[in-house]
Amino acid sequence: MGSKAKSARPVLKGLAMLAVFAGLVILARALGLEEHLADRQWLLAHVQGQGIVGVLFFVGLTGLVTGMGVPRQLTAFLGGYAFGWFWGLILATLGTALGCAMNFFLARTLGREFVLSRFSRRVERLDAFLRSDPWRSALAIRLLPVGHNMLTSVAAGVTSIPAAAFILGSAAGYLPQNMVFALAGAGVSAQTGLGSILSIGFSVLLLVASGWLGVSVYRAYKRKGALPVDDEGDDEGAGEEAGEGKGEAPRRDKP
């Protein structure tokens, strides 16, 4: 009985993690957050002139929705629209880091045992990549123009990377693209046509620059062989081991 209970515990924790994410989605839909995020006037009514309460509302909202998988570029755009590009950038990045931390700790607390029991080899590769230089590795992942913010945070949570290094590195990696969309949001709310054109034009240039930076980081890590990719020979090697286990003689090359 004890061994069965022990083997069932990772599954129960994994189900609990999925239940938490499902509960957050249900809560968001019940509150109508999807419709509210598309309504800039609703956001302005809750943050403008509200002082610290409006700031905390925006940061908390950003953490909640990005933790559920809403693109962080949208919240950075809304931040720039409501607060201006600088404070929109800072607050959107803080909120996204909050969502990152939520996903990370949920995965580490509830999902780690379940994932390790089924995908230990892949987790070991990711773990080795992140452990080599935790802060810079997290920064590199966030700069790459690929991947999903929420899933990346969940994947990191099942590794042994230190939480502080991952979250701080992620926050730094969010800055370039968040600045792009905060500038675009500020441009939409600009009072003059020239200010709008300058803000949006500069944001396009930054988007190109951040994409180039991400690709450069990816190539640098690929040259070093530091990316956690699957080896093509894994399945073949596993098959040979299985064959040897069945009593089949291993094939030998001719001299």
Side-chain angles (χ1 to χ4, degrees):
M1 290 294 292
S3 61
K4 288 184 178 180
K6 189 175 181 180
S7 62
R9 187 174 63 181
V11 176
L12 294 175
K13 283 188 173 183
L15 291 175
M17 182 181 70
L18 294 177
V20 171
F21 283 120
L24 289 174
V25 172
I26 292 171
L27 174 63
R29 292 196 172 180
L31 295 174
L33 290 183
E34 186 176 354
E35 292 79 12
H36 291 323
L37 288 175
D39 183 2
R40 294 195 294 268
Q41 297 307 314
W42 175 86
L43 178 67
L44 291 179
H46 284 80
V47 301
Q48 283 194 337
Q50 303 298 319
I52 189 64
V53 175
V55 169
L56 293 176
F57 174 83
F58 179 76
V59 172
L61 177 67
T62 299
L64 177 63
V65 298
T66 55
M68 294 186 302
V70 171
R72 57 187 171 85
Q73 292 86 350
L74 172 61
T75 56
F77 176 88
L78 294 174
Y81 182 83
F83 297 100
W85 77 267
F86 179 78
W87 286 111
L89 166 66
I90 299 300
L91 297 177
T93 302
L94 286 175
T96 308
L98 180 64
C100 166
M102 179 182 73
N103 294 146
F104 182 92
F105 285 113
L106 273 175
R108 178 151 292 186
T109 304
L110 298 176
R112 189 176 189 183
E113 292 181 34
F114 177 76
V115 174
L116 285 175
S117 65
R118 284 158 177 78
F119 306 103
S120 59
R121 176 171 287 184
R122 293 189 179 186
V123 173
E124 285 173 5
R125 289 176 180 149
L126 179 61
D127 198 57
F129 168 66
L130 293 174
R131 265 202 330 262
S132 61
D133 191 345
W135 191 88
R136 291 181 63 187
S137 298
L139 174 66
I141 287 175
R142 298 307 188 181
L143 288 174
L144 295 178
V146 293
H148 190 281
N149 181 49
M150 182 188 77
L151 295 180
T152 299
S153 301
V154 170
V158 303
T159 69
S160 63
I161 185 174
F166 179 76
I167 295 168
L168 291 175
S170 293
Y174 292 146
L175 286 171
Q177 278 198 18
N178 280 4
M179 181 181 289
V180 170
F181 288 90
L183 278 165
V188 170
S189 66
Q191 298 296 320
T192 65
L194 179 60
S196 177
I197 291 171
L198 289 175
S199 293
I200 295 175
F202 188 51
S203 70
V204 171
L205 291 176
L206 277 176
L207 180 61
V208 174
S210 65
W212 173 83
L213 180 61
V215 171
S216 299
V217 171
Y218 172 82
R219 288 175 175 172
Y221 271 81
K222 191 174 182 180
R223 283 196 300 268
K224 289 164 57 180
L227 291 174
V229 296
D230 290 335
D231 294 332
E232 295 180 358
D234 282 349
D235 294 337
E236 183 181 349
E240 289 177 359
E241 290 176 7
E244 291 178 17
K246 291 179 181 179
E248 297 177 5
R251 288 177 291 181
R252 301 181 183 275
D253 295 332
K254 294 181 179 180

